[in-house]
Amino acid sequence: MKKIILTAAMMVMPFATQAAGYSAAGCGLGATLFEGQSGLGPHVLAATTNGFYGTQTFAMTSGTLGCDVDGVINAQASLYIDSNLDQIAADMSKGSGEALDALGAVMGVQKADLAQFRSVMQANFTRIFHNETTTGSEVTNSITTVMKGDSTLNKYVG
């Protein structure tokens, strides 16, 4: 059973990274050096280069070497939202609280814009949490839409 799961994961992984716009090795120095090459060999060499030099972490953090910073921020925010949905809803409904501030931090909202973030989230609470069964991914998408519509916050969602 473990072999079947491992095999399935290995088959899906290249497609998941390619769907995000990355090669099978992801992004980083290795992916950049072996860009445009296909097959197992170049992908293994690209992944090995990324791992050996540790450039993938740097590239993901800085948005260089083919990595998309906004995608990383959205993934972190999505994970945070999924794990803290009830606390975020409670804080968002009143426009303040640790969970809402932490969400702003995970999304990269600077302290100077935090009051605006809180206010916009509270004003759009029913749009973001439209019913009791709203999922984390729906909340993430709604927050992104709301932030894109705000002239101060749109810089945080690409």
Short mmCIF file of all heavy atoms in Angstrom, two decimals, residues 106-154:
data_model
loop_
_atom_site.label_atom_id
_atom_site.label_comp_id
_atom_site.label_asym_id
_atom_site.label_seq_id
_atom_site.Cartn_x
_atom_site.Cartn_y
_atom_site.Cartn_z
N VAL A 106 0.62 37.40 7.90
CA VAL A 106 0.91 36.30 6.97
C VAL A 106 0.74 36.76 5.52
O VAL A 106 1.47 36.32 4.63
CB VAL A 106 0.00 35.08 7.26
CG1 VAL A 106 0.09 34.04 6.18
CG2 VAL A 106 0.36 34.47 8.60
N MET A 107 -0.19 37.68 5.30
CA MET A 107 -0.42 38.19 3.95
C MET A 107 0.55 39.31 3.59
O MET A 107 0.52 39.82 2.48
CB MET A 107 -1.86 38.65 3.80
CG MET A 107 -2.84 37.50 3.93
SD MET A 107 -4.50 37.90 3.41
CE MET A 107 -4.29 37.87 1.63
N GLY A 108 1.41 39.68 4.55
CA GLY A 108 2.43 40.69 4.27
C GLY A 108 1.98 42.12 4.47
O GLY A 108 2.67 43.05 4.05
N VAL A 109 0.83 42.32 5.10
CA VAL A 109 0.33 43.68 5.33
C VAL A 109 1.26 44.40 6.31
O VAL A 109 1.52 43.89 7.40
CB VAL A 109 -1.13 43.65 5.86
CG1 VAL A 109 -1.62 45.06 6.19
CG2 VAL A 109 -2.05 42.97 4.87
N GLN A 110 1.73 45.56 5.90
CA GLN A 110 2.64 46.34 6.74
C GLN A 110 1.86 47.00 7.87
O GLN A 110 0.66 47.26 7.76
CB GLN A 110 3.35 47.39 5.90
CG GLN A 110 4.22 46.78 4.82
CD GLN A 110 4.75 47.83 3.85
OE1 GLN A 110 4.42 49.01 3.92
NE2 GLN A 110 5.58 47.38 2.92
N LYS A 111 2.56 47.31 8.95
CA LYS A 111 1.91 47.92 10.12
C LYS A 111 1.17 49.20 9.76
O LYS A 111 0.12 49.49 10.32
CB LYS A 111 2.94 48.18 11.22
CG LYS A 111 3.40 46.92 11.90
CD LYS A 111 4.30 47.21 13.08
CE LYS A 111 4.75 45.88 13.69
NZ LYS A 111 5.45 46.07 14.95
N ALA A 112 1.71 49.97 8.83
CA ALA A 112 1.08 51.23 8.43
C ALA A 112 -0.29 51.00 7.80
O ALA A 112 -1.16 51.87 7.85
CB ALA A 112 1.98 51.99 7.46
N ASP A 113 -0.51 49.82 7.22
CA ASP A 113 -1.77 49.50 6.54
C ASP A 113 -2.67 48.56 7.34
O ASP A 113 -3.74 48.18 6.88
CB ASP A 113 -1.48 48.87 5.17
CG ASP A 113 -0.75 49.81 4.23
OD1 ASP A 113 -0.98 51.04 4.34
OD2 ASP A 113 0.03 49.34 3.40
N LEU A 114 -2.24 48.20 8.54
CA LEU A 114 -2.99 47.22 9.33
C LEU A 114 -4.38 47.73 9.73
O LEU A 114 -5.35 46.98 9.70
CB LEU A 114 -2.19 46.79 10.56
CG LEU A 114 -2.71 45.58 11.33
CD1 LEU A 114 -2.86 44.37 10.41
CD2 LEU A 114 -1.78 45.25 12.48
N ALA A 115 -4.49 49.00 10.08
CA ALA A 115 -5.80 49.55 10.45
C ALA A 115 -6.75 49.50 9.26
O ALA A 115 -7.93 49.16 9.41
CB ALA A 115 -5.65 50.99 10.96
N GLN A 116 -6.25 49.80 8.09
CA GLN A 116 -7.07 49.72 6.87
C GLN A 116 -7.48 48.26 6.61
O GLN A 116 -8.62 47.99 6.26
CB GLN A 116 -6.29 50.28 5.67
CG GLN A 116 -7.01 50.18 4.35
CD GLN A 116 -8.18 51.14 4.21
OE1 GLN A 116 -8.42 51.99 5.06
NE2 GLN A 116 -8.93 50.99 3.14
N PHE A 117 -6.55 47.34 6.80
CA PHE A 117 -6.84 45.91 6.62
C PHE A 117 -7.97 45.48 7.55
O PHE A 117 -8.94 44.86 7.12
CB PHE A 117 -5.57 45.09 6.88
CG PHE A 117 -5.78 43.60 6.82
CD1 PHE A 117 -5.92 42.95 5.60
CD2 PHE A 117 -5.82 42.84 7.98
CE1 PHE A 117 -6.10 41.58 5.53
CE2 PHE A 117 -6.00 41.47 7.93
CZ PHE A 117 -6.14 40.84 6.69
N ARG A 118 -7.85 45.85 8.82
CA ARG A 118 -8.88 45.48 9.79
C ARG A 118 -10.24 46.05 9.39
O ARG A 118 -11.26 45.36 9.44
CB ARG A 118 -8.51 46.01 11.18
CG ARG A 118 -7.33 45.35 11.83
CD ARG A 118 -7.05 46.03 13.17
NE ARG A 118 -5.81 45.59 13.74
CZ ARG A 118 -4.93 46.42 14.31
NH1 ARG A 118 -5.17 47.71 14.38
NH2 ARG A 118 -3.82 45.95 14.82
N SER A 119 -10.25 47.32 9.03
CA SER A 119 -11.48 48.01 8.67
C SER A 119 -12.14 47.39 7.44
O SER A 119 -13.36 47.14 7.42
CB SER A 119 -11.18 49.49 8.42
OG SER A 119 -12.32 50.16 7.97
N VAL A 120 -11.35 47.12 6.42
CA VAL A 120 -11.88 46.54 5.17
C VAL A 120 -12.39 45.12 5.42
O VAL A 120 -13.45 44.73 4.91
CB VAL A 120 -10.81 46.58 4.06
CG1 VAL A 120 -11.22 45.74 2.86
CG2 VAL A 120 -10.54 48.01 3.63
N MET A 121 -11.68 44.35 6.23
CA MET A 121 -12.12 43.00 6.53
C MET A 121 -13.44 43.02 7.29
O MET A 121 -14.36 42.26 7.00
CB MET A 121 -11.06 42.23 7.31
CG MET A 121 -9.78 41.93 6.55
SD MET A 121 -10.03 40.90 5.08
CE MET A 121 -9.77 42.11 3.78
N GLN A 122 -13.57 43.92 8.26
CA GLN A 122 -14.81 44.01 9.03
C GLN A 122 -15.97 44.47 8.14
O GLN A 122 -17.07 43.91 8.20
CB GLN A 122 -14.66 44.96 10.21
CG GLN A 122 -15.92 45.03 11.07
CD GLN A 122 -15.79 45.99 12.24
OE1 GLN A 122 -14.99 46.92 12.21
NE2 GLN A 122 -16.59 45.75 13.27
N ALA A 123 -15.72 45.47 7.31
CA ALA A 123 -16.77 45.99 6.43
C ALA A 123 -17.26 44.95 5.42
O ALA A 123 -18.41 45.00 4.98
CB ALA A 123 -16.26 47.23 5.70
N ASN A 124 -16.40 44.00 5.08
CA ASN A 124 -16.75 42.97 4.09
C ASN A 124 -16.95 41.60 4.72
O ASN A 124 -16.90 40.59 4.01
CB ASN A 124 -15.67 42.92 3.02
CG ASN A 124 -15.69 44.13 2.14
OD1 ASN A 124 -16.51 44.23 1.24
ND2 ASN A 124 -14.79 45.07 2.41
N PHE A 125 -17.18 41.56 6.02
CA PHE A 125 -17.32 40.29 6.72
C PHE A 125 -18.35 39.37 6.07
O PHE A 125 -18.07 38.20 5.82
CB PHE A 125 -17.67 40.52 8.19
CG PHE A 125 -17.94 39.24 8.95
CD1 PHE A 125 -16.90 38.42 9.34
CD2 PHE A 125 -19.24 38.83 9.22
CE1 PHE A 125 -17.13 37.23 10.02
CE2 PHE A 125 -19.49 37.65 9.89
CZ PHE A 125 -18.43 36.85 10.29
N THR A 126 -19.54 39.88 5.78
CA THR A 126 -20.60 39.02 5.21
C THR A 126 -20.28 38.61 3.78
O THR A 126 -20.78 37.59 3.31
CB THR A 126 -21.98 39.72 5.25
OG1 THR A 126 -21.90 40.97 4.58
CG2 THR A 126 -22.42 39.93 6.70
N ARG A 127 -19.47 39.36 3.10
CA ARG A 127 -19.03 38.98 1.76
C ARG A 127 -17.98 37.86 1.82
O ARG A 127 -17.92 37.00 0.96
CB ARG A 127 -18.47 40.21 1.06
CG ARG A 127 -18.07 40.00 -0.36
CD ARG A 127 -17.64 41.31 -0.98
NE ARG A 127 -17.09 41.07 -2.30
CZ ARG A 127 -16.36 41.93 -2.96
NH1 ARG A 127 -16.12 43.12 -2.44
NH2 ARG A 127 -15.89 41.62 -4.13
N ILE A 128 -17.15 37.89 2.86
CA ILE A 128 -16.08 36.90 3.03
C ILE A 128 -16.61 35.61 3.65
O ILE A 128 -16.33 34.52 3.16
CB ILE A 128 -14.93 37.50 3.86
CG1 ILE A 128 -14.30 38.67 3.10
CG2 ILE A 128 -13.89 36.44 4.21
CD1 ILE A 128 -13.35 39.53 3.92
N PHE A 129 -17.37 35.74 4.71
CA PHE A 129 -18.00 34.60 5.37
C PHE A 129 -19.50 34.66 5.04
O PHE A 129 -20.31 35.11 5.84
CB PHE A 129 -17.79 34.65 6.89
CG PHE A 129 -16.39 34.33 7.32
CD1 PHE A 129 -15.46 35.34 7.50
CD2 PHE A 129 -16.00 33.02 7.55
CE1 PHE A 129 -14.16 35.05 7.90
CE2 PHE A 129 -14.71 32.72 7.95
CZ PHE A 129 -13.79 33.74 8.12
N HIS A 130 -19.85 34.22 3.82
CA HIS A 130 -21.22 34.39 3.34
C HIS A 130 -22.24 33.44 3.96
O HIS A 130 -23.43 33.68 3.88
CB HIS A 130 -21.27 34.34 1.81
CG HIS A 130 -20.61 33.15 1.22
ND1 HIS A 130 -19.27 33.13 0.92
CD2 HIS A 130 -21.10 31.95 0.88
CE1 HIS A 130 -18.97 31.95 0.41
NE2 HIS A 130 -20.04 31.22 0.38
N ASN A 131 -21.79 32.36 4.59
CA ASN A 131 -22.70 31.48 5.34
C ASN A 131 -21.90 30.65 6.34
O ASN A 131 -20.68 30.75 6.40
CB ASN A 131 -23.55 30.60 4.41
CG ASN A 131 -22.71 29.65 3.57
OD1 ASN A 131 -21.74 29.06 4.04
ND2 ASN A 131 -23.07 29.50 2.30
N GLU A 132 -22.59 29.84 7.11
CA GLU A 132 -21.94 29.06 8.17
C GLU A 132 -21.03 27.95 7.66
O GLU A 132 -20.20 27.45 8.40
CB GLU A 132 -23.00 28.47 9.09
CG GLU A 132 -23.77 29.51 9.87
CD GLU A 132 -24.91 28.91 10.68
OE1 GLU A 132 -25.07 27.67 10.70
OE2 GLU A 132 -25.65 29.69 11.29
N THR A 133 -21.21 27.55 6.41
CA THR A 133 -20.41 26.46 5.87
C THR A 133 -19.31 26.94 4.91
O THR A 133 -18.77 26.15 4.15
CB THR A 133 -21.31 25.44 5.13
OG1 THR A 133 -21.97 26.11 4.05
CG2 THR A 133 -22.33 24.84 6.08
N THR A 134 -18.99 28.23 4.97
CA THR A 134 -17.94 28.77 4.12
C THR A 134 -16.62 28.06 4.42
O THR A 134 -16.23 27.93 5.57
CB THR A 134 -17.78 30.29 4.35
OG1 THR A 134 -19.03 30.91 4.12
CG2 THR A 134 -16.75 30.88 3.42
N THR A 135 -15.94 27.60 3.38
CA THR A 135 -14.69 26.87 3.54
C THR A 135 -13.50 27.82 3.58
O THR A 135 -13.61 28.99 3.18
CB THR A 135 -14.49 25.87 2.38
OG1 THR A 135 -14.33 26.61 1.17
CG2 THR A 135 -15.65 24.91 2.26
N GLY A 136 -12.38 27.29 4.01
CA GLY A 136 -11.16 28.08 4.05
C GLY A 136 -10.74 28.60 2.69
O GLY A 136 -10.31 29.74 2.56
N SER A 137 -10.88 27.78 1.65
CA SER A 137 -10.49 28.23 0.31
C SER A 137 -11.43 29.32 -0.19
O SER A 137 -11.01 30.25 -0.87
CB SER A 137 -10.44 27.07 -0.67
OG SER A 137 -11.69 26.46 -0.82
N GLU A 138 -12.71 29.24 0.16
CA GLU A 138 -13.66 30.30 -0.22
C GLU A 138 -13.30 31.60 0.49
O GLU A 138 -13.35 32.68 -0.11
CB GLU A 138 -15.09 29.90 0.13
CG GLU A 138 -15.64 28.79 -0.73
CD GLU A 138 -17.00 28.27 -0.25
OE1 GLU A 138 -17.26 28.28 0.97
OE2 GLU A 138 -17.78 27.86 -1.11
N VAL A 139 -12.94 31.50 1.76
CA VAL A 139 -12.54 32.68 2.53
C VAL A 139 -11.29 33.29 1.91
O VAL A 139 -11.20 34.51 1.72
CB VAL A 139 -12.33 32.33 4.02
CG1 VAL A 139 -11.67 33.48 4.77
CG2 VAL A 139 -13.66 31.96 4.66
N THR A 140 -10.31 32.46 1.58
CA THR A 140 -9.07 32.95 0.97
C THR A 140 -9.37 33.69 -0.33
O THR A 140 -8.86 34.79 -0.56
CB THR A 140 -8.11 31.77 0.69
OG1 THR A 140 -7.82 31.11 1.92
CG2 THR A 140 -6.81 32.25 0.07
N ASN A 141 -10.20 33.09 -1.18
CA ASN A 141 -10.54 33.73 -2.45
C ASN A 141 -11.29 35.04 -2.23
O ASN A 141 -11.03 36.03 -2.91
CB ASN A 141 -11.38 32.79 -3.32
CG ASN A 141 -10.58 31.60 -3.81
OD1 ASN A 141 -9.36 31.65 -3.90
ND2 ASN A 141 -11.26 30.52 -4.10
N SER A 142 -12.22 35.06 -1.29
CA SER A 142 -12.99 36.27 -1.01
C SER A 142 -12.10 37.38 -0.45
O SER A 142 -12.24 38.55 -0.84
CB SER A 142 -14.12 35.97 -0.03
OG SER A 142 -15.05 35.09 -0.60
N ILE A 143 -11.20 37.03 0.45
CA ILE A 143 -10.28 38.03 1.01
C ILE A 143 -9.42 38.62 -0.10
O ILE A 143 -9.22 39.84 -0.18
CB ILE A 143 -9.41 37.43 2.13
CG1 ILE A 143 -10.26 37.18 3.38
CG2 ILE A 143 -8.23 38.34 2.46
CD1 ILE A 143 -9.54 36.43 4.48
N THR A 144 -8.92 37.77 -0.98
CA THR A 144 -8.10 38.24 -2.10
C THR A 144 -8.89 39.20 -2.97
O THR A 144 -8.40 40.27 -3.35
CB THR A 144 -7.60 37.04 -2.94
OG1 THR A 144 -6.84 36.18 -2.09
CG2 THR A 144 -6.73 37.50 -4.09
N THR A 145 -10.14 38.86 -3.28
CA THR A 145 -11.00 39.72 -4.10
C THR A 145 -11.24 41.06 -3.42
O THR A 145 -11.15 42.12 -4.05
CB THR A 145 -12.34 39.01 -4.40
OG1 THR A 145 -12.07 37.79 -5.07
CG2 THR A 145 -13.25 39.88 -5.24
N VAL A 146 -11.56 41.02 -2.13
CA VAL A 146 -11.81 42.25 -1.37
C VAL A 146 -10.56 43.12 -1.35
O VAL A 146 -10.64 44.34 -1.56
CB VAL A 146 -12.30 41.91 0.06
CG1 VAL A 146 -12.25 43.13 0.96
CG2 VAL A 146 -13.70 41.32 0.02
N MET A 147 -9.41 42.52 -1.10
CA MET A 147 -8.17 43.29 -1.04
C MET A 147 -7.81 43.89 -2.40
O MET A 147 -7.29 45.00 -2.47
CB MET A 147 -7.03 42.44 -0.49
CG MET A 147 -7.19 42.14 1.00
SD MET A 147 -5.90 41.06 1.68
CE MET A 147 -4.50 42.18 1.67
N LYS A 148 -8.08 43.16 -3.47
CA LYS A 148 -7.81 43.70 -4.82
C LYS A 148 -8.65 44.93 -5.10
O LYS A 148 -8.24 45.81 -5.85
CB LYS A 148 -8.06 42.63 -5.88
CG LYS A 148 -6.97 41.61 -5.99
CD LYS A 148 -7.27 40.62 -7.11
CE LYS A 148 -6.16 39.59 -7.20
NZ LYS A 148 -6.42 38.58 -8.25
N GLY A 149 -9.82 44.99 -4.50
CA GLY A 149 -10.71 46.13 -4.70
C GLY A 149 -10.41 47.34 -3.85
O GLY A 149 -11.04 48.38 -4.01
N ASP A 150 -9.44 47.25 -2.96
CA ASP A 150 -9.10 48.35 -2.08
C ASP A 150 -7.78 48.96 -2.56
O ASP A 150 -6.78 48.25 -2.72
CB ASP A 150 -8.96 47.88 -0.63
CG ASP A 150 -8.69 49.02 0.31
OD1 ASP A 150 -9.67 49.67 0.74
OD2 ASP A 150 -7.50 49.27 0.61
N SER A 151 -7.76 50.27 -2.74
CA SER A 151 -6.57 50.94 -3.30
C SER A 151 -5.34 50.84 -2.40
O SER A 151 -4.21 50.87 -2.88
CB SER A 151 -6.88 52.41 -3.59
OG SER A 151 -7.26 53.09 -2.40
N THR A 152 -5.53 50.67 -1.10
CA THR A 152 -4.41 50.54 -0.18
C THR A 152 -3.92 49.10 -0.08
O THR A 152 -2.72 48.84 -0.01
CB THR A 152 -4.79 51.03 1.23
OG1 THR A 152 -5.23 52.39 1.14
CG2 THR A 152 -3.62 50.93 2.21
N LEU A 153 -4.84 48.16 -0.09
CA LEU A 153 -4.50 46.75 0.14
C LEU A 153 -4.20 45.94 -1.11
O LEU A 153 -3.67 44.84 -1.02
CB LEU A 153 -5.63 46.08 0.93
CG LEU A 153 -5.99 46.71 2.27
CD1 LEU A 153 -7.17 46.00 2.90
CD2 LEU A 153 -4.79 46.72 3.21
N ASN A 154 -4.51 46.47 -2.29
CA ASN A 154 -4.34 45.67 -3.51
C ASN A 154 -2.89 45.31 -3.79
O ASN A 154 -2.60 44.33 -4.47
CB ASN A 154 -4.99 46.34 -4.71
CG ASN A 154 -4.40 47.67 -5.06
OD1 ASN A 154 -3.37 48.10 -4.53
ND2 ASN A 154 -5.07 48.37 -5.96
#
